[in-house]
Structures are given as structure tokens and as C-alpha cells.
PDB file of all heavy atoms in Angstrom:
ATOM      1  N   SER A   1     -76.809  11.696 -29.336  1.00 98.00           N
ATOM      2  CA  SER A   1     -77.097  12.915 -30.074  1.00 98.00           C
ATOM      3  C   SER A   1     -76.309  14.072 -29.484  1.00 98.00           C
ATOM      4  O   SER A   1     -76.084  14.129 -28.278  1.00 98.00           O
ATOM      5  CB  SER A   1     -78.590  13.247 -30.024  1.00 98.00           C
ATOM      6  OG  SER A   1     -79.361  12.245 -30.637  1.00 98.00           O
ATOM      7  N   CYS A   2     -75.903  14.979 -30.339  1.00 98.00           N
ATOM      8  CA  CYS A   2     -75.216  16.201 -29.933  1.00 98.00           C
ATOM      9  C   CYS A   2     -75.956  17.363 -30.563  1.00 98.00           C
ATOM     10  O   CYS A   2     -75.822  17.609 -31.768  1.00 98.00           O
ATOM     11  CB  CYS A   2     -73.754  16.167 -30.379  1.00 98.00           C
ATOM     12  SG  CYS A   2     -72.823  17.682 -30.058  1.00 98.00           S
ATOM     13  N   ALA A   3     -76.749  18.059 -29.764  1.00 97.00           N
ATOM     14  CA  ALA A   3     -77.555  19.174 -30.250  1.00 97.00           C
ATOM     15  C   ALA A   3     -76.828  20.486 -29.995  1.00 97.00           C
ATOM     16  O   ALA A   3     -76.410  20.762 -28.870  1.00 97.00           O
ATOM     17  CB  ALA A   3     -78.918  19.181 -29.567  1.00 97.00           C
ATOM     18  N   ALA A   4     -76.683  21.292 -31.031  1.00 96.00           N
ATOM     19  CA  ALA A   4     -75.989  22.569 -30.935  1.00 96.00           C
ATOM     20  C   ALA A   4     -76.979  23.727 -30.919  1.00 96.00           C
ATOM     21  O   ALA A   4     -78.041  23.669 -31.554  1.00 96.00           O
ATOM     22  CB  ALA A   4     -75.018  22.735 -32.094  1.00 96.00           C
ATOM     23  N   SER A   5     -76.622  24.773 -30.203  1.00 96.00           N
ATOM     24  CA  SER A   5     -77.410  25.995 -30.173  1.00 96.00           C
ATOM     25  C   SER A   5     -76.472  27.192 -30.104  1.00 96.00           C
ATOM     26  O   SER A   5     -75.276  27.049 -29.876  1.00 96.00           O
ATOM     27  CB  SER A   5     -78.384  26.005 -28.991  1.00 96.00           C
ATOM     28  OG  SER A   5     -77.690  25.938 -27.756  1.00 96.00           O
ATOM     29  N   GLY A   6     -77.013  28.374 -30.294  1.00 93.00           N
ATOM     30  CA  GLY A   6     -76.210  29.586 -30.304  1.00 93.00           C
ATOM     31  C   GLY A   6     -75.791  29.986 -31.704  1.00 93.00           C
ATOM     32  O   GLY A   6     -75.883  31.166 -32.075  1.00 93.00           O
ATOM     33  N   ARG A   7     -75.298  29.042 -32.462  1.00 92.00           N
ATOM     34  CA  ARG A   7     -74.937  29.220 -33.859  1.00 92.00           C
ATOM     35  C   ARG A   7     -75.204  27.936 -34.620  1.00 92.00           C
ATOM     36  O   ARG A   7     -75.197  26.848 -34.029  1.00 92.00           O
ATOM     37  CB  ARG A   7     -73.463  29.589 -34.023  1.00 92.00           C
ATOM     38  CG  ARG A   7     -73.086  31.011 -33.672  1.00 92.00           C
ATOM     39  CD  ARG A   7     -71.608  31.236 -33.904  1.00 92.00           C
ATOM     40  NE  ARG A   7     -71.229  32.627 -33.686  1.00 92.00           N
ATOM     41  CZ  ARG A   7     -71.204  33.549 -34.639  1.00 92.00           C
ATOM     42  NH1 ARG A   7     -71.521  33.240 -35.881  1.00 92.00           N
ATOM     43  NH2 ARG A   7     -70.836  34.796 -34.351  1.00 92.00           N
ATOM     44  N   THR A   8     -75.399  28.068 -35.907  1.00 92.00           N
ATOM     45  CA  THR A   8     -75.444  26.866 -36.723  1.00 92.00           C
ATOM     46  C   THR A   8     -74.036  26.278 -36.814  1.00 92.00           C
ATOM     47  O   THR A   8     -73.046  27.005 -36.900  1.00 92.00           O
ATOM     48  CB  THR A   8     -75.987  27.164 -38.127  1.00 92.00           C
ATOM     49  OG1 THR A   8     -75.946  25.964 -38.915  1.00 92.00           O
ATOM     50  CG2 THR A   8     -75.151  28.230 -38.829  1.00 92.00           C
ATOM     51  N   ILE A   9     -73.946  24.959 -36.764  1.00 88.00           N
ATOM     52  CA  ILE A   9     -72.652  24.292 -36.867  1.00 88.00           C
ATOM     53  C   ILE A   9     -72.499  23.595 -38.210  1.00 88.00           C
ATOM     54  O   ILE A   9     -71.677  22.689 -38.356  1.00 88.00           O
ATOM     55  CB  ILE A   9     -72.428  23.289 -35.719  1.00 88.00           C
ATOM     56  CG1 ILE A   9     -73.519  22.210 -35.702  1.00 88.00           C
ATOM     57  CG2 ILE A   9     -72.361  24.013 -34.386  1.00 88.00           C
ATOM     58  CD1 ILE A   9     -73.196  21.047 -34.782  1.00 88.00           C
ATOM     59  N   SER A  10     -73.260  24.035 -39.190  1.00 90.00           N
ATOM     60  CA  SER A  10     -73.198  23.400 -40.504  1.00 90.00           C
ATOM     61  C   SER A  10     -71.814  23.515 -41.135  1.00 90.00           C
ATOM     62  O   SER A  10     -71.442  22.668 -41.962  1.00 90.00           O
ATOM     63  CB  SER A  10     -74.253  23.999 -41.440  1.00 90.00           C
ATOM     64  OG  SER A  10     -74.045  25.387 -41.628  1.00 90.00           O
ATOM     65  N   SER A  11     -71.048  24.538 -40.768  1.00 93.00           N
ATOM     66  CA  SER A  11     -69.708  24.731 -41.307  1.00 93.00           C
ATOM     67  C   SER A  11     -68.609  24.286 -40.339  1.00 93.00           C
ATOM     68  O   SER A  11     -67.428  24.518 -40.607  1.00 93.00           O
ATOM     69  CB  SER A  11     -69.493  26.196 -41.683  1.00 93.00           C
ATOM     70  OG  SER A  11     -69.585  27.036 -40.551  1.00 93.00           O
ATOM     71  N   TYR A  12     -68.975  23.633 -39.246  1.00 93.00           N
ATOM     72  CA  TYR A  12     -68.018  23.183 -38.228  1.00 93.00           C
ATOM     73  C   TYR A  12     -67.712  21.700 -38.399  1.00 93.00           C
ATOM     74  O   TYR A  12     -68.582  20.909 -38.768  1.00 93.00           O
ATOM     75  CB  TYR A  12     -68.589  23.384 -36.820  1.00 93.00           C
ATOM     76  CG  TYR A  12     -68.654  24.815 -36.331  1.00 93.00           C
ATOM     77  CD1 TYR A  12     -69.266  25.805 -37.068  1.00 93.00           C
ATOM     78  CD2 TYR A  12     -68.107  25.154 -35.092  1.00 93.00           C
ATOM     79  CE1 TYR A  12     -69.334  27.105 -36.603  1.00 93.00           C
ATOM     80  CE2 TYR A  12     -68.174  26.456 -34.619  1.00 93.00           C
ATOM     81  CZ  TYR A  12     -68.789  27.426 -35.377  1.00 93.00           C
ATOM     82  OH  TYR A  12     -68.863  28.714 -34.898  1.00 93.00           O
ATOM     83  N   GLY A  13     -66.473  21.340 -38.097  1.00 95.00           N
ATOM     84  CA  GLY A  13     -66.176  19.941 -37.892  1.00 95.00           C
ATOM     85  C   GLY A  13     -66.651  19.540 -36.497  1.00 95.00           C
ATOM     86  O   GLY A  13     -66.619  20.339 -35.565  1.00 95.00           O
ATOM     87  N   VAL A  14     -67.104  18.306 -36.344  1.00 96.00           N
ATOM     88  CA  VAL A  14     -67.595  17.829 -35.059  1.00 96.00           C
ATOM     89  C   VAL A  14     -66.948  16.488 -34.746  1.00 96.00           C
ATOM     90  O   VAL A  14     -66.839  15.624 -35.624  1.00 96.00           O
ATOM     91  CB  VAL A  14     -69.129  17.704 -35.044  1.00 96.00           C
ATOM     92  CG1 VAL A  14     -69.605  17.121 -33.716  1.00 96.00           C
ATOM     93  CG2 VAL A  14     -69.776  19.063 -35.276  1.00 96.00           C
ATOM     94  N   GLY A  15     -66.528  16.327 -33.505  1.00 97.00           N
ATOM     95  CA  GLY A  15     -65.916  15.085 -33.072  1.00 97.00           C
ATOM     96  C   GLY A  15     -66.594  14.518 -31.841  1.00 97.00           C
ATOM     97  O   GLY A  15     -67.247  15.243 -31.088  1.00 97.00           O
ATOM     98  N   TRP A  16     -66.438  13.218 -31.655  1.00 98.00           N
ATOM     99  CA  TRP A  16     -66.838  12.530 -30.437  1.00 98.00           C
ATOM    100  C   TRP A  16     -65.585  12.010 -29.738  1.00 98.00           C
ATOM    101  O   TRP A  16     -64.694  11.428 -30.375  1.00 98.00           O
ATOM    102  CB  TRP A  16     -67.776  11.360 -30.729  1.00 98.00           C
ATOM    103  CG  TRP A  16     -69.173  11.766 -31.079  1.00 98.00           C
ATOM    104  CD1 TRP A  16     -69.701  11.929 -32.323  1.00 98.00           C
ATOM    105  CD2 TRP A  16     -70.239  12.047 -30.156  1.00 98.00           C
ATOM    106  NE1 TRP A  16     -71.026  12.294 -32.241  1.00 98.00           N
ATOM    107  CE2 TRP A  16     -71.382  12.372 -30.917  1.00 98.00           C
ATOM    108  CE3 TRP A  16     -70.330  12.049 -28.767  1.00 98.00           C
ATOM    109  CZ2 TRP A  16     -72.599  12.699 -30.341  1.00 98.00           C
ATOM    110  CZ3 TRP A  16     -71.541  12.380 -28.187  1.00 98.00           C
ATOM    111  CH2 TRP A  16     -72.658  12.697 -28.968  1.00 98.00           C
ATOM    112  N   PHE A  17     -65.528  12.222 -28.431  1.00 98.00           N
ATOM    113  CA  PHE A  17     -64.443  11.746 -27.591  1.00 98.00           C
ATOM    114  C   PHE A  17     -65.040  11.027 -26.387  1.00 98.00           C
ATOM    115  O   PHE A  17     -66.220  11.198 -26.073  1.00 98.00           O
ATOM    116  CB  PHE A  17     -63.559  12.909 -27.124  1.00 98.00           C
ATOM    117  CG  PHE A  17     -62.815  13.595 -28.241  1.00 98.00           C
ATOM    118  CD1 PHE A  17     -63.452  14.512 -29.066  1.00 98.00           C
ATOM    119  CD2 PHE A  17     -61.476  13.322 -28.468  1.00 98.00           C
ATOM    120  CE1 PHE A  17     -62.775  15.142 -30.094  1.00 98.00           C
ATOM    121  CE2 PHE A  17     -60.785  13.951 -29.496  1.00 98.00           C
ATOM    122  CZ  PHE A  17     -61.437  14.853 -30.306  1.00 98.00           C
ATOM    123  N   ARG A  18     -64.229  10.239 -25.714  1.00 98.00           N
ATOM    124  CA  ARG A  18     -64.707   9.556 -24.511  1.00 98.00           C
ATOM    125  C   ARG A  18     -63.607   9.518 -23.465  1.00 98.00           C
ATOM    126  O   ARG A  18     -62.424   9.562 -23.779  1.00 98.00           O
ATOM    127  CB  ARG A  18     -65.192   8.142 -24.830  1.00 98.00           C
ATOM    128  CG  ARG A  18     -64.110   7.188 -25.302  1.00 98.00           C
ATOM    129  CD  ARG A  18     -64.726   5.878 -25.766  1.00 98.00           C
ATOM    130  NE  ARG A  18     -63.728   4.902 -26.168  1.00 98.00           N
ATOM    131  CZ  ARG A  18     -64.002   3.731 -26.732  1.00 98.00           C
ATOM    132  NH1 ARG A  18     -65.271   3.389 -26.960  1.00 98.00           N
ATOM    133  NH2 ARG A  18     -63.019   2.905 -27.070  1.00 98.00           N
ATOM    134  N   GLN A  19     -64.030   9.425 -22.210  1.00 98.00           N
ATOM    135  CA  GLN A  19     -63.086   9.400 -21.109  1.00 98.00           C
ATOM    136  C   GLN A  19     -63.573   8.427 -20.043  1.00 98.00           C
ATOM    137  O   GLN A  19     -64.661   8.587 -19.499  1.00 98.00           O
ATOM    138  CB  GLN A  19     -62.909  10.791 -20.512  1.00 98.00           C
ATOM    139  CG  GLN A  19     -61.799  10.874 -19.471  1.00 98.00           C
ATOM    140  CD  GLN A  19     -61.439  12.308 -19.133  1.00 98.00           C
ATOM    141  OE1 GLN A  19     -62.214  13.233 -19.369  1.00 98.00           O
ATOM    142  NE2 GLN A  19     -60.250  12.502 -18.590  1.00 98.00           N
ATOM    143  N   ALA A  20     -62.757   7.428 -19.767  1.00 97.00           N
ATOM    144  CA  ALA A  20     -63.022   6.470 -18.712  1.00 97.00           C
ATOM    145  C   ALA A  20     -62.272   6.891 -17.456  1.00 97.00           C
ATOM    146  O   ALA A  20     -61.263   7.599 -17.535  1.00 97.00           O
ATOM    147  CB  ALA A  20     -62.594   5.072 -19.143  1.00 97.00           C
ATOM    148  N   PRO A  21     -62.722   6.458 -16.267  1.00 93.00           N
ATOM    149  CA  PRO A  21     -62.034   6.834 -15.033  1.00 93.00           C
ATOM    150  C   PRO A  21     -60.559   6.466 -15.060  1.00 93.00           C
ATOM    151  O   PRO A  21     -60.190   5.353 -15.427  1.00 93.00           O
ATOM    152  CB  PRO A  21     -62.784   6.042 -13.961  1.00 93.00           C
ATOM    153  CG  PRO A  21     -64.149   5.852 -14.530  1.00 93.00           C
ATOM    154  CD  PRO A  21     -63.931   5.662 -16.007  1.00 93.00           C
ATOM    155  N   GLY A  22     -59.719   7.422 -14.684  1.00 94.00           N
ATOM    156  CA  GLY A  22     -58.292   7.194 -14.634  1.00 94.00           C
ATOM    157  C   GLY A  22     -57.583   7.236 -15.970  1.00 94.00           C
ATOM    158  O   GLY A  22     -56.375   6.979 -16.030  1.00 94.00           O
ATOM    159  N   LYS A  23     -58.294   7.547 -17.042  1.00 96.00           N
ATOM    160  CA  LYS A  23     -57.696   7.593 -18.364  1.00 96.00           C
ATOM    161  C   LYS A  23     -57.864   8.967 -19.000  1.00 96.00           C
ATOM    162  O   LYS A  23     -58.718   9.750 -18.601  1.00 96.00           O
ATOM    163  CB  LYS A  23     -58.315   6.530 -19.275  1.00 96.00           C
ATOM    164  CG  LYS A  23     -58.015   5.097 -18.860  1.00 96.00           C
ATOM    165  CD  LYS A  23     -58.483   4.112 -19.910  1.00 96.00           C
ATOM    166  CE  LYS A  23     -58.089   2.691 -19.555  1.00 96.00           C
ATOM    167  NZ  LYS A  23     -58.515   1.728 -20.603  1.00 96.00           N
ATOM    168  N   GLU A  24     -57.028   9.234 -19.993  1.00 96.00           N
ATOM    169  CA  GLU A  24     -57.128  10.477 -20.742  1.00 96.00           C
ATOM    170  C   GLU A  24     -58.332  10.450 -21.672  1.00 96.00           C
ATOM    171  O   GLU A  24     -58.784   9.379 -22.100  1.00 96.00           O
ATOM    172  CB  GLU A  24     -55.858  10.703 -21.558  1.00 96.00           C
ATOM    173  CG  GLU A  24     -54.596  10.890 -20.740  1.00 96.00           C
ATOM    174  CD  GLU A  24     -54.598  12.185 -19.968  1.00 96.00           C
ATOM    175  OE1 GLU A  24     -55.120  13.190 -20.481  1.00 96.00           O
ATOM    176  OE2 GLU A  24     -54.066  12.197 -18.843  1.00 96.00           O
ATOM    177  N   ARG A  25     -58.839  11.628 -21.977  1.00 97.00           N
ATOM    178  CA  ARG A  25     -59.907  11.725 -22.961  1.00 97.00           C
ATOM    179  C   ARG A  25     -59.360  11.308 -24.324  1.00 97.00           C
ATOM    180  O   ARG A  25     -58.329  11.806 -24.772  1.00 97.00           O
ATOM    181  CB  ARG A  25     -60.447  13.152 -23.009  1.00 97.00           C
ATOM    182  CG  ARG A  25     -61.723  13.306 -23.806  1.00 97.00           C
ATOM    183  CD  ARG A  25     -62.338  14.690 -23.595  1.00 97.00           C
ATOM    184  NE  ARG A  25     -62.692  14.921 -22.200  1.00 97.00           N
ATOM    185  CZ  ARG A  25     -63.334  15.997 -21.768  1.00 97.00           C
ATOM    186  NH1 ARG A  25     -63.705  16.945 -22.619  1.00 97.00           N
ATOM    187  NH2 ARG A  25     -63.606  16.127 -20.475  1.00 97.00           N
ATOM    188  N   GLU A  26     -60.041  10.386 -24.994  1.00 97.00           N
ATOM    189  CA  GLU A  26     -59.536   9.835 -26.231  1.00 97.00           C
ATOM    190  C   GLU A  26     -60.508  10.041 -27.386  1.00 97.00           C
ATOM    191  O   GLU A  26     -61.726  10.105 -27.212  1.00 97.00           O
ATOM    192  CB  GLU A  26     -59.219   8.343 -26.077  1.00 97.00           C
ATOM    193  CG  GLU A  26     -60.435   7.470 -25.847  1.00 97.00           C
ATOM    194  CD  GLU A  26     -60.091   5.993 -25.791  1.00 97.00           C
ATOM    195  OE1 GLU A  26     -58.901   5.634 -25.904  1.00 97.00           O
ATOM    196  OE2 GLU A  26     -61.026   5.177 -25.629  1.00 97.00           O
ATOM    197  N   PHE A  27     -59.939  10.093 -28.569  1.00 98.00           N
ATOM    198  CA  PHE A  27     -60.704  10.291 -29.787  1.00 98.00           C
ATOM    199  C   PHE A  27     -61.542   9.073 -30.122  1.00 98.00           C
ATOM    200  O   PHE A  27     -61.096   7.936 -29.964  1.00 98.00           O
ATOM    201  CB  PHE A  27     -59.739  10.592 -30.940  1.00 98.00           C
ATOM    202  CG  PHE A  27     -60.377  10.557 -32.293  1.00 98.00           C
ATOM    203  CD1 PHE A  27     -61.161  11.602 -32.738  1.00 98.00           C
ATOM    204  CD2 PHE A  27     -60.185   9.471 -33.131  1.00 98.00           C
ATOM    205  CE1 PHE A  27     -61.755  11.581 -33.985  1.00 98.00           C
ATOM    206  CE2 PHE A  27     -60.766   9.434 -34.386  1.00 98.00           C
ATOM    207  CZ  PHE A  27     -61.553  10.490 -34.807  1.00 98.00           C
ATOM    208  N   VAL A  28     -62.751   9.315 -30.620  1.00 98.00           N
ATOM    209  CA  VAL A  28     -63.646   8.246 -31.057  1.00 98.00           C
ATOM    210  C   VAL A  28     -63.964   8.372 -32.545  1.00 98.00           C
ATOM    211  O   VAL A  28     -63.744   7.442 -33.323  1.00 98.00           O
ATOM    212  CB  VAL A  28     -64.955   8.235 -30.246  1.00 98.00           C
ATOM    213  CG1 VAL A  28     -65.915   7.185 -30.797  1.00 98.00           C
ATOM    214  CG2 VAL A  28     -64.656   7.981 -28.771  1.00 98.00           C
ATOM    215  N   ALA A  29     -64.498   9.520 -32.956  1.00 98.00           N
ATOM    216  CA  ALA A  29     -64.934   9.698 -34.339  1.00 98.00           C
ATOM    217  C   ALA A  29     -65.036  11.177 -34.648  1.00 98.00           C
ATOM    218  O   ALA A  29     -65.220  12.008 -33.756  1.00 98.00           O
ATOM    219  CB  ALA A  29     -66.283   9.016 -34.588  1.00 98.00           C
ATOM    220  N   THR A  30     -64.943  11.529 -35.922  1.00 97.00           N
ATOM    221  CA  THR A  30     -65.101  12.917 -36.335  1.00 97.00           C
ATOM    222  C   THR A  30     -65.741  12.979 -37.709  1.00 97.00           C
ATOM    223  O   THR A  30     -65.682  12.010 -38.482  1.00 97.00           O
ATOM    224  CB  THR A  30     -63.754  13.664 -36.338  1.00 97.00           C
ATOM    225  OG1 THR A  30     -63.968  15.069 -36.534  1.00 97.00           O
ATOM    226  CG2 THR A  30     -62.835  13.146 -37.440  1.00 97.00           C
ATOM    227  N   ILE A  31     -66.354  14.115 -38.012  1.00 96.00           N
ATOM    228  CA  ILE A  31     -66.981  14.346 -39.303  1.00 96.00           C
ATOM    229  C   ILE A  31     -66.677  15.774 -39.746  1.00 96.00           C
ATOM    230  O   ILE A  31     -66.785  16.718 -38.967  1.00 96.00           O
ATOM    231  CB  ILE A  31     -68.500  14.065 -39.243  1.00 96.00           C
ATOM    232  CG1 ILE A  31     -69.133  14.167 -40.629  1.00 96.00           C
ATOM    233  CG2 ILE A  31     -69.199  14.989 -38.247  1.00 96.00           C
ATOM    234  CD1 ILE A  31     -70.548  13.590 -40.671  1.00 96.00           C
TER     235      ILE A  31
END
């Protein structure tokens, strides 16, 4: 889960990324 606060993110694009040790942060999914 990714919970947002401060502002509504209903108009924002949101992505998931991941980073393993020794590797660059990589794209997983977006909406």
C-alpha cells in the first residue's frame, strides 16, 4: 500500500519502483 497525505493524489500519476543491493532503482508499475 502507498498512502498519501498532504494533498489528494487523485490527479497524480503514481508509480512503483524497486531497488536491490548493488543495483539501480528500476521501474515496476505505474498508473
Side-chain angles (χ1 to χ4, degrees):
S1 297
C2 175
S5 61
R7 285 181 175 268
T8 177
I9 59 168
S10 61
S11 62
Y12 287 53
V14 177
W16 285 96
F17 294 79
R18 66 188 183 187
Q19 187 167 20
K23 294 188 175 182
E24 296 292 324
R25 191 169 299 185
E26 67 176 1
F27 169 77
V28 175
T30 189
I31 186 167

